[in-house]
């Protein structure tokens, strides 16, 4: 199995981007200037997490709290394909394989990013928003993502 891997990074104040992970160099993640991957997110610490290649697996390590994998607080965790790590208001989606070519499949990648952005916003607000407003927003998101017709739903 190839050890190539990358992160899809979604932050509230920046465009989504892709960062390749390196086997031989830990990738530090945070808001500070010394972080390899800098996040424009005021809720992220200057050095919040690190991802390294250990014994054939990529492992995310918490350097500050909170660090979550699918919403569950973690300290050190092996990453599997499509794992979703959150820190502050930012989301990191881990993927095995080389980063996609910027031109090949760009529209598919943009659609996937938009879906992730909407799901993250929805999951963040699920406990804080009036249920009726949340249902309306969910319906609007479904229509936008499926390019459907509200009358049909």
């Amino acid at each position: 199995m190839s050890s190539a891997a990358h992160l899809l990074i979604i932050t509230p104040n920046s465009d989504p981007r892709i960062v390749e992970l390196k086997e031989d160099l830990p990738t530090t993640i945070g808001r500070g200037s010394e972080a390899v991957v800098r996040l424009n997110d005021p809720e992220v610490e200057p050095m919040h997490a690190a991802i390294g290649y250990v014994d054939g697996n990529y492992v995310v390590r918490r350097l500050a709290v909170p660090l979550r994998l699918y919403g569950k607080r973690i300290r050190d965790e092996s990453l599997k394909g499509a794992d979703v790590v959150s820190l502050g208001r930012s989301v990191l989606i881990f993927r095995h394989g080389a980063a996609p070519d910027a031109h090949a499949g760009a529209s598919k990648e943009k659609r996937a990013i938009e879906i992730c952005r909407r799901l993250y916003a929805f999951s963040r607000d699920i406990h804080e928003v009036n249920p009726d407003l949340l249902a309306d927003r969910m319906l609007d998101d479904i229509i936008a993502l499926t390019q459907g017709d509200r009358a049909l739903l």
Side-chain angles (χ1 to χ4, degrees):
M1 180 172 164
S2 169
S3 61
H6 61 280
L7 295 173
L8 170 60
I9 301 171
I10 302 170
T11 59
N13 303 315
S14 303
D15 288 334
R17 62 193 164 140
I18 294 174
V19 173
E20 286 197 57
L21 298 173
K22 304 200 181 316
E23 257 185 67
D24 57 344
L25 183 67
T27 302
T28 53
I29 303 162
R31 189 182 71 230
S33 59
E34 294 181 12
V36 172
V37 175
R38 292 186 65 194
L39 301 178
N40 184 12
D41 181 341
E43 295 181 26
V44 169
E45 296 297 325
M47 275 307 190
H48 205 108
I51 297 177
Y53 193 71
V54 180
D55 297 328
N57 294 303
Y58 282 94
V59 176
V60 62
R61 173 176 294 138
R62 182 184 76 195
L63 303 177
V65 293
L67 181 66
R68 299 175 189 272
L69 180 66
Y70 297 112
K72 178 183 169 193
R73 286 182 179 248
I74 59 169
R75 184 174 307 247
D76 294 338
E77 193 76 34
S78 291
L79 295 171
K80 296 160 195 63
D83 273 351
V84 178
V85 177
S86 58
L87 51 156
R89 294 178 54 212
S90 300
V91 175
L92 314 174
I93 301 171
F94 175 80
R95 294 183 177 167
H96 285 288
D101 180 16
H103 302 291
S107 64
K108 185 177 180 182
E109 192 70 21
K110 283 182 184 177
R111 186 160 172 75
I113 290 168
E114 181 60 21
I115 290 169
C116 289
R117 183 185 305 241
R118 287 175 186 253
L119 284 172
Y120 177 65
F122 181 81
S123 69
R124 194 179 64 234
D125 295 339
I126 199 162
H127 300 290
E128 301 173 15
V129 176
N130 173 308
D132 292 332
L133 293 174
L134 199 59
D136 282 342
R137 195 167 88 201
M138 185 172 58
L139 184 58
D140 290 341
D141 285 348
I142 290 169
I143 291 167
L145 292 171
T146 62
Q147 301 171 343
D149 183 351
R150 190 178 192 101
L152 292 175
L153 296 176

